[in-house]
Amino acid sequence: MEKRHIIMLIIVAFICIIPFLIYGGLGEEQGYFGGADDKASQVIEETGYKPWFEPIWEPPSGEIESLLFAVQAAIGALIIGYVFGYYKGKQKAS
């Protein structure tokens, strides 16, 4: 293993450990690690905004909603990976 790989692993370890040291013992109840969607919806509701349409379908639970979001992200990652691989292979072939 090269020296630069070890340095990169140490940097990644610090990036992973630092949030636990800074926010140790604090959670969502204190406002840490909360989602931006919840905060944005609270701000929008405070303005008195009323939605002008209802969604056609709502997922039956939060887990299903998370699953659909993860599937959407995976499909997007596959498409982006395919495009990068296609152009990399095209560049290598020429």
Side-chain angles (χ1 to χ4, degrees):
M1 187 178 278
E2 294 181 25
K3 185 177 178 180
R4 67 180 178 158
H5 293 146
I6 294 171
I7 292 172
M8 288 172 46
L9 287 173
I10 291 171
I11 291 172
V12 168
F14 275 123
I15 290 172
C16 293
I17 293 171
I18 286 174
F20 290 111
L21 295 175
I22 293 173
Y23 300 111
L26 303 175
E28 287 189 42
E29 295 83 23
Q30 290 85 19
Y32 296 100
F33 303 111
D37 291 343
D38 292 337
K39 288 185 179 180
S41 65
Q42 288 175 354
V43 170
I44 291 171
E45 288 174 1
E46 289 174 0
T47 63
Y49 172 78
K50 293 182 181 176
W52 51 277
F53 71 96
E54 294 293 324
I56 297 171
W57 178 76
E58 288 190 28
S61 68
E63 289 83 12
I64 299 293
E65 188 175 346
S66 296
L67 172 71
L68 293 173
F69 184 76
V71 169
Q72 178 185 2
I75 291 171
L78 282 172
I79 291 171
I80 291 171
Y82 176 78
V83 169
F84 277 120
Y86 175 78
Y87 285 112
K88 182 77 175 179
K90 192 174 179 181
Q91 188 180 37
K92 205 176 206 180
S94 61

